[in-house]
Amino acid sequence: MERRTIGATALQVGAVGLGCMPMSWAYSGSRQRGEESVRALHTALDQGANLLDTADMYGPFTNELLIGRVLRERRREAFVSTKVGLLVGDQHIVANGRPGYVRRACDASLRRLQTDVIDLYQLHRADPEIPVEETWGAMADLVRAGKVRALGMCAVGARASRRSGTGVGRPASGGLHDDTVRQLERVQQVFPVAAVQAELSVWSPEALERLLPWCEARGVGFVAAMPLGNGYLTGTLTPGQGFEPDDVRARHPRFTAEMMAANQPLLVGLRRVAGRHGPGVTPAQVALAWVLGRGRHVIPVPGTKHERWVTENAGAAELTLSELDLAELGDLPAAQGSWD
């Protein structure tokens, strides 16, 4: 698989990574099977999709434990990205950016992951009660201590104030990621940012407006979360099929039966482009190829727990979209269904 670089750190990863959250959190709890997920992780490493993206809050904690089972055998082949800064309660999630907590959380993640170093340690959310510079300074100390190789930040503007009337080629305006950019500018003065993670897909292109250019101008890697639109852009979901109560899509405005039906033109466009590239090419691969084409500093991390989809997603790294393809995708209608 093509290799890409995370920021100025010269850390190399496969062009397509693996989002590990669905293996143990937020998606269809009854379908989460540890052994199947372990096989998917091994398949990802076999395919060169070695960026494994997780967080201590996924589970919580069980996602890191699952990945640790594989890292115990194949640590040298993997690029491990985990996150800190969010605590999960019974009915709520709260931010904690206190330096002491960051240090303890890192040590706990290292134990669960069965490794002595985390390749990319990301701040999941900034704590509004703690200056972000203090949190980032504690994370920087972990780099100096040899426990972490590079630091990243997750965008705080995702899924807020989406506006209609903008297609793939015309991202929304209105400062969706303004808060994130301001935080990035602040922490950059403390210690270099190696990567930024934010949602980016053909139905959520807003990061193209300001966040992606900010990263490109500074040699910062961009980890594209949810590049397949929570599974919608794979074309494998049926409008009105329903989701389990613990599945995030059960409360997701774009996954009502009405909105899933209304957004079918997006899938029609993806299928049309896929058809031009041969019978083995899928809408998901086209969607991922579009993300990959946003720049060589972009690494999508599609989430899955199945070997089959890991292999299909990895194949997107071999797909090159033509100018005709890109023009057609750029003319797709905006996704319907607000995140507000």
Side-chain angles (χ1 to χ4, degrees), residues 20-21 23-26 54-69 82-89 94 101 104-114 121 124:
C20 299
M21 182 178 72
M23 297 177 178
S24 52
W25 201 62
T54 183
D56 57 3
M57 72 169 289
Y58 298 161
F61 312 130
T62 53
N63 205 242
E64 288 185 332
L65 288 168
L66 181 68
I67 293 170
R69 293 171 55 187
T82 192
K83 308 177 190 73
V84 66
L86 288 179
L87 295 172
V88 180
V94 297
Y101 170 73
R104 293 192 301 274
C106 179
D107 288 341
S109 287
L110 288 168
R111 288 193 298 271
R112 288 188 291 267
L113 291 165
Q114 300 193 49
Y121 204 37
H124 218 155

Side-chain angles (χ1 to χ4, degrees), residues 125-194:
R125 290 291 183 274
D127 187 336
E129 297 183 0
I130 304 294
V132 69
E133 292 87 349
E134 290 188 21
T135 305
W136 199 256
M139 295 172 69
D141 288 341
L142 296 171
V143 179
R144 299 183 187 102
K147 296 180 179 182
V148 171
R149 289 199 172 101
L151 301 184
M153 179 178 284
C154 292
V156 298
R159 302 192 175 194
S161 302
R162 305 280 181 172
R163 288 169 170 78
S164 61
T166 56
V168 169
R170 302 169 299 283
S173 59
L176 177 67
H177 291 298
D178 283 356
D179 286 345
T180 296
V181 170
R182 282 191 287 268
Q183 287 183 356
L184 288 167
E185 296 284 2
R186 290 168 61 184
V187 302
Q188 189 83 317
Q189 304 304 311
V190 177
F191 193 87
V193 178

Side-chain angles (χ1 to χ4, degrees), residues 8-336:
T9 61
L11 297 173
Q12 295 285 311
V13 298
V16 177
L18 175 61
C20 299
M21 182 178 72
M23 297 177 178
S24 52
W25 201 62
Y27 289 86
S28 304
S30 68
R31 302 176 191 173
Q32 292 167 0
R33 300 177 180 87
E35 292 308 316
E36 184 174 12
S37 294
V38 166
R39 289 193 296 271
L41 286 161
H42 280 294
T43 299
L45 296 179
D46 292 342
Q47 298 281 343
N50 66 330
L51 195 166
L52 307 180
D53 185 67
T54 183
D56 57 3
M57 72 169 289
Y58 298 161
F61 312 130
T62 53
N63 205 242
E64 288 185 332
L65 288 168
L66 181 68
I67 293 170
R69 293 171 55 187
V70 175
L71 296 182
R72 184 174 54 199
E73 305 172 23
R74 304 182 67 173
R75 179 62 184 93
R76 287 189 174 185
E77 300 169 69
F79 183 97
V80 183
S81 170
T82 192
K83 308 177 190 73
V84 66
L86 288 179
L87 295 172
V88 180
D90 290 339
Q91 300 292 330
H92 62 282
I93 297 173
V94 297
N96 189 338
R98 298 182 183 280
Y101 170 73
V102 169
R103 290 190 288 270
R104 293 192 301 274
C106 179
D107 288 341
S109 287
L110 288 168
R111 288 193 298 271
R112 288 188 291 267
L113 291 165
Q114 300 193 49
T115 185
D116 58 1
V117 64
I118 294 165
D119 296 306
L120 178 64
Y121 204 37
Q122 299 188 70
L123 179 58
H124 218 155
R125 290 291 183 274
D127 187 336
E129 297 183 0
I130 304 294
V132 69
E133 292 87 349
E134 290 188 21
T135 305
W136 199 256
M139 295 172 69
D141 288 341
L142 296 171
V143 179
R144 299 183 187 102
K147 296 180 179 182
V148 171
R149 289 199 172 101
L151 301 184
M153 179 178 284
C154 292
V156 298
R159 302 192 175 194
S161 302
R162 305 280 181 172
R163 288 169 170 78
S164 61
T166 56
V168 169
R170 302 169 299 283
S173 59
L176 177 67
H177 291 298
D178 283 356
D179 286 345
T180 296
V181 170
R182 282 191 287 268
Q183 287 183 356
L184 288 167
E185 296 284 2
R186 290 168 61 184
V187 302
Q188 189 83 317
Q189 304 304 311
V190 177
F191 193 87
V193 178
V196 174
Q197 181 164 342
E199 183 172 8
L200 178 63
S201 70
V202 296
W203 80 342
S204 296
E206 291 84 359
L208 297 179
E209 181 193 12
R210 189 174 181 199
L211 197 54
L212 207 64
W214 188 95
C215 293
E216 186 172 20
R218 292 159 180 79
V220 173
F222 186 92
V223 180
M226 292 168 279
L228 296 178
N230 300 89
Y232 185 81
L233 301 177
T234 65
T236 61
L237 303 178
T238 304
Q241 70 177 59
F243 298 95
E244 296 180 15
D246 61 342
D247 192 311
V248 293
R249 292 170 294 188
R251 301 174 299 280
H252 192 310
R254 287 192 182 167
F255 284 90
T256 64
E258 179 185 8
M259 287 300 100
M260 288 179 72
N263 285 316
Q264 286 294 304
L266 286 165
L267 289 177
V268 171
L270 290 171
R271 289 191 178 103
R272 188 162 50 241
V273 171
R276 287 202 289 267
H277 289 268
V281 177
T282 67
Q285 289 175 325
V286 172
L288 289 173
W290 180 87
V291 174
L292 287 164
R294 299 313 94 203
R296 287 190 51 78
H297 62 307
V298 179
I299 302 100
V301 284
T304 186
K305 51 185 173 286
H306 300 295
E307 291 177 89
R308 172 187 174 185
W309 306 132
V310 168
T311 298
E312 179 179 311
N313 294 341
E318 307 300 320
L319 179 62
T320 301
L321 300 179
S322 68
E323 291 299 322
L324 174 62
D325 297 332
L326 293 173
E328 186 166 336
L329 294 174
D331 287 337
L332 291 177
Q336 298 187 45

